[in-house]
Amino acid sequence: MKLAIGADHAGFPLKEEIRGYLERLEHEVIDLGAYNAEPSDYADFAEAVGRTLIAGRAQRGILVCGSGVGVNVAANKMPGIRACMCHDTYSAHQGVEHDDMNVLVLGARIIGPALAFELVSSFLNAHFQKHEERFVRRLNKVLAIEARYMGETARH
Ligand SMILES: O=C[C@H](O)[C@H](O)[C@H](O)COP(=O)(O)O
């Protein structure tokens, strides 16, 4: 599978471990940084991964920051991106099967490489169950919300 991966400085060490894991499994990996642990901003990497999926250059993405929250929030601002932080294997595959999640988000300050590899494996081996009418109906409602509120913003 063609995969886009990205992380800020806090996610960098785990992203490196994940890249190695994916390459051992012979996936095609587009590594969008960070390329070192110098302080950086999670939004830049979330956007880079999202842009790569939107352009069709990768089928799925993996994003890592310290908690997972920042990249999760940022990636979901982009149309067509369905990113979710999953630190349990059930959500990592069910999120794809039921919700067509296309970006797996991990928190490098929360989990270690062994669990991360299991989560990535669950995510990559799962497929959206498009023959299930209820999942398609719900996804279409999500896409309709995205289209309805494009360009608007919540006030504090
Ligand atoms: O949600 C945000 C992420 O967890 C960041 O990785 C985190 O805020 C980075 O923290 P710091 O700049 O203190 O290393």
Side-chain angles (χ1 to χ4, degrees):
M1 197 182 287
K2 269 194 173 180
L3 302 167
I5 64 172
D8 70 354
H9 59 288
F12 168 72
L14 184 59
K15 188 263 289 173
E16 293 296 289
E17 297 266 10
I18 291 170
R19 181 162 49 79
Y21 174 72
L22 293 171
E23 287 170 352
R24 288 195 291 282
L25 293 176
E26 300 190 340
H27 289 288
E28 199 176 319
V29 182
I30 304 171
D31 184 350
L32 295 160
Y35 304 115
N36 57 52
E38 290 299 308
S40 57
D41 300 334
Y42 63 80
D44 296 332
F45 307 101
E47 183 177 7
V49 166
R51 194 170 49 233
T52 303
L53 264 65
I54 289 169
R57 290 195 296 273
Q59 294 150 273
R60 293 199 197 165
I62 298 173
L63 279 165
V64 191
C65 66
S67 63
V69 174
V71 287
N72 199 143
V73 169
N76 282 313
K77 300 297 177 193
M78 302 181 74
I81 301 303
R82 290 176 291 282
C84 197
M85 179 167 60
C86 300
H87 287 162
D88 67 276
T89 55
Y90 177 77
S91 303
H93 67 81
Q94 195 254 24
V96 177
E97 291 158 358
H98 289 212
D99 310 321
D100 204 15
M101 171 174 72
N102 51 15
V103 176
L104 176 69
V105 176
L106 302 173
R109 292 175 180 168
I110 316 295
I111 63 165
L115 178 54
F117 297 163
E118 290 196 16
L119 294 164
V120 166
S121 172
S122 296
F123 170 63
L124 296 180
N125 288 320
H127 300 281
F128 180 52
Q129 295 177 1
K130 55 175 179 265
H131 53 279
E132 293 286 349
E133 189 275 334
R134 70 189 190 286
F135 299 152
V136 174
R137 184 181 69 239
R138 292 163 189 164
L139 177 61
N140 283 337
K141 288 192 175 185
V142 172
L143 297 176
I145 293 171
E146 191 172 82
R148 237 179 348 259
Y149 293 95
M150 195 82 72
E152 296 197 36
T153 190
R155 312 277 168 225
H156 286 260

